[in-house]
């Protein structure tokens, strides 16, 4: 029988998947594309809430990510046999203004600027389960990045 504490594992899974290099859109890492989107729109963070709300139709990247993670969340709930009504709110926030929060990232030899990916799940008893991962990224640049061959396969 499922327990609500398993929602913490689902939060960890969503966060890990979100920052993974396998999270791609159009053959490029989604985090870099979201960094570019945030920079161009003068945003310090991008938030997705589930079930997915639709974004402006001209922002295909946001719609694709929202649909993909709505589907992944549903799969994880089924796999863990967690009833949907146990989940009240789910959000994934990508924050690009975390220098004060994670000063060690400033000294990292890795390229890019720091980011924080935070997944929060609120259950039907208003208990919060969260997971956070810090990392570094550069804004997307097709000239600098290699495109994943997975996007080219039929």
């Amino acid at each position: 029988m499922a327990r609500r504490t398993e929602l913490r594992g689902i939060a960890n899974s969503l966060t890990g998947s979100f920052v993974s290099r396998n999270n791609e859109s159009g053959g490029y890492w989604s985090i870099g594309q979201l960094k570019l989107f945030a920079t161009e729109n003068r945003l310090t963070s991008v938030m997705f809430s589930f079930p997915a709300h639709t974004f402006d139709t001209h922002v295909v990247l946001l719609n694709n990510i929202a649909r993909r993670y709505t589907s992944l969340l549903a799969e994880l709930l089924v796999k863990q046999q967690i009833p949907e009504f146990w989940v009240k709110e789910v959000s994934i926030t990508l924050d690009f203004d975390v220098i004060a929060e994670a000063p060690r990232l400033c000294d990292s030899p890795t390229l890019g600027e720091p980011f924080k990916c935070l997944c929060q799940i609120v259950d039907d008893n208003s208990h919060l389960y969260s997971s956070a991962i810090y990392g570094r990224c550069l804004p997307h640049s097709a000239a600098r990045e290699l495109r994943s061959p997975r996007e080219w396969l039929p």
Side-chain angles (χ1 to χ4, degrees):
M1 178 163 168
R3 298 181 331 182
R4 284 177 176 80
T5 58
E6 293 175 44
L7 291 171
R8 180 171 284 110
I10 289 178
N12 288 335
S13 294
L14 289 172
T15 307
S17 171
F18 203 85
V19 301
S20 167
R21 294 286 178 171
N22 291 324
N23 177 12
E24 60 187 41
S25 186
Y28 297 102
W29 190 35
S30 293
I31 302 290
Q33 292 181 62
L34 289 169
K35 171 67 175 169
L36 179 63
F37 172 80
T39 301
E40 289 174 343
N41 291 283
R42 296 184 184 153
L43 302 172
T44 58
S45 65
V46 179
M47 183 176 145
F48 298 89
S49 57
F50 306 97
H53 59 282
T54 53
F55 291 92
D56 294 338
T57 54
H58 72 280
V59 186
V60 175
L61 171 67
L62 299 179
N63 286 322
N64 288 344
I65 292 171
R67 277 195 301 274
R68 187 174 333 125
Y69 279 88
T70 297
S71 173
L72 179 58
L73 173 62
E75 288 173 24
L76 291 170
L77 291 175
V78 167
K79 188 181 276 189
Q80 294 296 92
Q81 299 177 346
I82 296 174
E84 281 187 36
F85 71 87
W86 281 5
V87 179
K88 186 172 161 186
E89 291 177 41
V90 179
S91 67
I92 297 176
T93 305
L94 197 56
D95 187 4
F96 297 107
D97 187 25
V98 294
I99 293 173
E101 209 175 302
R104 291 184 317 176
L105 285 174
C106 296
D107 300 333
S108 174
T110 307
L111 287 176
E113 298 171 18
F115 71 84
K116 174 184 177 182
C117 181
L118 174 68
C119 178
Q120 296 184 310
I121 300 176
V122 178
D123 70 11
D124 57 338
N125 294 329
S126 298
H127 190 272
L128 175 67
Y129 304 90
S130 65
S131 173
I133 294 178
Y134 292 87
R136 298 179 72 85
C137 71
L138 291 169
H140 167 67
S141 167
R144 184 184 64 242
E145 298 175 41
L146 293 175
R147 187 173 184 164
S148 169
R150 288 182 289 218
E151 288 293 320
W152 303 339
L153 298 175

